[in-house]
Amino acid sequence: MELRQLTYFVAVCEELSFSRAASRCYISQSAISHQIARLERDLGVQLFERSTRAVVPTDATTRLLPLAKQMLSLESAIRATVRTSGHRIRLAANMSFATRSLTAIAGARAAHPDAEIEFVIKPFRQRITAVADGDCDMALIRGSVDQPGLAVEQLWVEDLVIATSSGHPLATREEVTLAELSPYPLLLPPEQEQVLLHTIIRTAFADLPTGPTFGPPIPPDHTATMELINRPDAWTVLYADSPTEGLVVLTLTEHRLRIPVSAVLRTDARRSPTLTTLLTALHRC
């Protein structure tokens, strides 16, 4: 039994889907299925009942899950305990923050040549846990989080991008309104995977006579570009730094779709000069 297998096991338990768990852990679905099967062989029990429609945890899974989470929490605590203090910073984020983060890291390193700053890729939930457990010093997130022991500091605000295929009826327009987009199907990832994005959309449409017309959710292993090409009447919302090759980007007249980007830190952590400089650099990026 390996710790990574427990990580995959917890992901499948929380997502109740091998494909969503694989996407969350940045590995293929076949790889996560293989590792879960190995874990089942090592333990001598079946952990999930699999079918084409559902993934159902067994009684053994119910007993194992709290212990698995405890083991992963201990791993984070061990890493935090043995870390060198003062000159080493771990920044947790995802790849959409890479450009800004690396620019800020370069600036912080220039100001503190002896410091070591790591850029760690983690899914949203793992970023929050890593900061709470002390494994990472700071996490970048979109939106906010309300959790005891954690502080949220807003860094910047992003405008969201409206994208369509070149065949969309509104693709030749320079500007569009949400009311004009309302009749056309909106394609987004499932709400359980992008709660914040769905909330922003519903809030933006709240004062309009009609809300958005949601199309089928974008599967985890599909891209927005391909979905829009297959559905030329549809539109989607992308983060400002998302790839838009092959798509038409439309300007939203109202500028209603905005999302804050924040840093998450522990409230009881001592902010080293390096961490303070990194935060300042992120504010300026």
Side-chain angles (χ1 to χ4, degrees):
M1 180 172 58
E2 302 173 4
L3 285 173
R4 63 171 177 162
Q5 292 171 341
L6 294 180
T7 299
Y8 301 154
F9 165 74
V10 171
V12 176
C13 287
E14 293 179 346
E15 301 292 343
L16 293 180
S17 164
F18 279 83
S19 61
R20 290 196 296 270
S23 177
R24 167 174 157 180
C25 296
Y26 295 94
I27 64 171
S28 67
Q29 182 174 339
S30 60
I32 203 168
S33 297
H34 174 70
Q35 291 299 329
I36 293 297
R38 282 189 56 192
L39 181 61
E40 289 176 323
R41 288 197 298 272
D42 290 344
L43 296 176
V45 295
Q46 182 180 0
L47 296 173
F48 300 100
E49 296 177 1
R50 304 159 176 84
S51 71
T52 56
R53 294 187 176 181
V55 174
V56 180
T58 64
D59 290 340
T61 295
T62 303
R63 296 192 298 271
L64 176 60
L65 182 59
L67 295 175
K69 288 183 175 180
Q70 185 177 359
M71 286 288 291
L72 295 176
S73 179
L74 285 172
E75 180 199 17
S76 294
I78 290 170
R79 291 183 183 277
T81 299
V82 300
R83 282 176 49 202
T84 57
S85 60
H87 294 292
R88 187 179 180 192
I89 302 296
R90 282 168 60 86
L91 170 62
N94 62 21
M95 283 304 298
S96 68
F97 294 124
T99 301
R100 285 180 182 261
S101 296
L102 296 178
T103 300
I105 288 171
R109 286 291 307 274
H112 304 277
D114 295 333
E116 180 182 351
I117 305 176
E118 296 183 39
F119 181 66
V120 185
I121 302 297
K122 290 181 179 291
F124 181 88
R125 294 184 187 89
Q126 292 184 23
R127 272 176 265 165
I128 303 304
T129 300
V131 173
D133 291 345
D135 183 37
C136 289
D137 300 278
M138 179 168 58
L140 299 183
I141 64 168
R142 290 183 174 90
S144 187
V145 63
D146 184 10
Q147 182 170 319
L150 296 181
V152 177
E153 182 172 328
Q154 184 172 312
L155 298 173
W156 67 84
V157 177
E158 289 184 353
D159 285 312
L160 298 178
V161 171
I162 305 297
T164 71
S165 74
S166 59
H168 193 280
L170 300 177
T172 58
R173 297 276 299 276
E174 292 186 3
E175 293 185 340
V176 295
T177 66
L178 290 176
E180 290 170 326
L181 289 167
S182 177
Y184 300 100
L186 169 59
L187 306 183
L188 292 176
E191 185 165 4
Q192 64 268 26
E193 295 181 12
Q194 289 283 356
V195 175
L196 180 60
L197 201 55
H198 281 258
T199 300
I200 289 173
I201 291 291
R202 288 198 173 94
T203 301
F205 275 90
D207 297 331
L208 298 179
T210 59
T213 302
F214 287 100
I218 300 175
D221 55 348
H222 287 209
T223 65
T225 302
M226 184 57 64
E227 292 298 297
L228 291 176
I229 290 173
N230 289 331
R231 291 288 305 271
D233 62 329
W235 61 287
T236 193
V237 177
L238 302 175
Y239 296 122
D241 47 9
S242 301
T244 56
E245 292 83 358
L247 300 179
V248 174
V249 175
L250 303 177
T251 300
L252 191 62
T253 303
E254 305 98 328
H255 299 289
R256 292 184 181 181
L257 302 182
R258 309 196 78 196
I259 186 168
V261 176
S262 304
V264 180
L265 306 100
R266 293 189 306 283
T267 54
D268 61 349
R270 180 180 64 86
R271 297 193 182 186
S272 67
T274 304
L275 182 58
T276 300
T277 301
L278 180 59
L279 263 173
T280 301
L282 285 166
H283 271 289
R284 293 173 177 171
C285 286

